[in-house]
């Protein structure tokens, strides 16, 4: 073996096998990533009807979509008044096709100056949601809310933790 034969220039079959495995892994990773993305996009159906009962700050819903187990609502809020908005909450009531309220979520609107615009994003875990009603409430009504109604980040729970450990074991 020559002194210039370092492992990167080695033409032995061992390196060819290693590069074949690496190529298979990269192709499988890309294929599975594309398939998972398409599957999750197909699960979520857009909510065709939503109701915004807020007039003074302008609230818009850009995306409202739900699957049979969860969903999300994205949009913007713009202060069209002359005063700063403090200690107000956006209230989201989620309903089934039979007009049954399955849950409520709150987002705090804090220090929204005049003509300022902020984006909001809300994830929910309610079954069979077909439409959402958005309204503005004061802090007094929110004091009666449960901690689950105030939480806007997704909860993973034990199933998410176990799946993360299993995936970490096989891929890291």
């Amino acid at each position: 073996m020559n002194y210039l034969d370092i492992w990167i220039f080695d033409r032995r079959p061992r390196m060819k096998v290693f590069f074949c495995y690496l190529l298979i892994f990269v192709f499988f990773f890309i294929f599975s990533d594309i398939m998972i993305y398409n599957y999750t996009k197909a699960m979520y159906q857009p909510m065709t009807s939503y109701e915004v009962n807020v007039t003074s700050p302008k609230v818009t819903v850009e995306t409202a979509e739900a699957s049979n187990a969860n969903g999300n609502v994205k949009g913007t809020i713009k202060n069209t008044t002359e005063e700063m908005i403090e200690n107000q909450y956006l209230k989201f009531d989620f309903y089934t096709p039979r007009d049954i309220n399955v849950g409520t979520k709150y987002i705090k609107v804090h220090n929204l100056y005049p003509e300022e615009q902020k984006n909001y994003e809300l994830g929910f875990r309610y079954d069979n949601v077909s439409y959402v009603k958005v309204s503005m409430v004061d802090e007094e009504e929110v004091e009666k809310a449960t901690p689950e109604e105030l939480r806007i980040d997704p909860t993973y729970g034990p199933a998410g933790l176990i799946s993360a450990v299993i995936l970490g074991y096989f891929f890291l």
Side-chain angles (χ1 to χ4, degrees):
M1 190 154 76
N2 196 346
Y3 71 95
L4 291 176
D5 287 339
I6 57 176
W7 71 273
I8 199 95
F9 297 129
D10 196 359
R11 300 287 189 232
R12 291 183 282 186
R14 178 174 21 180
M15 289 306 292
K16 289 180 183 177
V17 170
F18 173 73
F19 285 127
C20 285
Y21 284 142
L22 181 67
L23 193 62
I24 289 170
F25 176 76
V26 168
F27 280 134
F28 179 73
F29 181 79
I30 292 171
F31 175 75
S32 64
D33 210 24
I34 290 171
M35 295 305 290
I36 290 169
Y37 175 78
N38 288 333
Y39 176 71
T40 56
K41 279 302 201 186
M43 280 182 21
Y44 287 96
Q45 300 298 323
M47 285 189 248
T48 56
S49 64
Y50 47 86
E51 186 177 326
V52 179
N53 297 327
V54 182
T55 56
S56 62
K58 184 179 179 184
V59 177
T60 60
V61 176
E62 295 171 359
T63 305
E65 55 189 7
S67 69
N68 61 351
N70 58 15
N72 57 43
V73 178
K74 298 177 187 176
T76 59
I77 179 169
K78 183 177 182 178
N79 188 357
T80 56
T81 64
E82 297 295 324
E83 299 174 1
M84 182 172 71
I85 297 177
E86 293 184 289
N87 299 327
Q88 297 280 324
Y89 287 82
L90 283 177
K91 179 182 177 184
F92 296 85
D93 290 317
F94 299 98
Y95 293 91
T96 64
R98 295 184 177 185
D99 292 334
I100 298 171
N101 187 347
V102 291
T104 303
K105 290 280 192 177
Y106 296 95
I107 293 180
K108 186 172 186 172
V109 179
H110 187 66
N111 294 339
L112 190 62
Y113 294 102
E115 299 301 320
E116 183 181 7
Q117 180 174 335
K118 289 186 179 179
N119 295 330
Y120 66 85
E121 183 174 347
L122 173 72
F124 60 89
R125 292 185 181 262
Y126 301 124
D127 295 338
N128 199 19
V129 173
S130 65
Y131 69 95
V132 62
K133 289 183 181 178
V134 182
S135 58
M136 185 75 89
V137 295
D138 291 332
E139 199 168 349
E140 298 160 354
E141 184 176 333
V142 177
E143 290 175 356
K144 302 172 190 173
T146 64
E148 196 273 333
E149 292 176 340
L150 295 173
R151 185 177 313 137
I152 59 172
D153 57 335
T155 56
Y156 296 108
L161 182 62
I162 291 170
S163 63
V165 168
I166 291 171
L167 287 174
Y169 175 75
F170 285 115
F171 291 112
L172 293 179

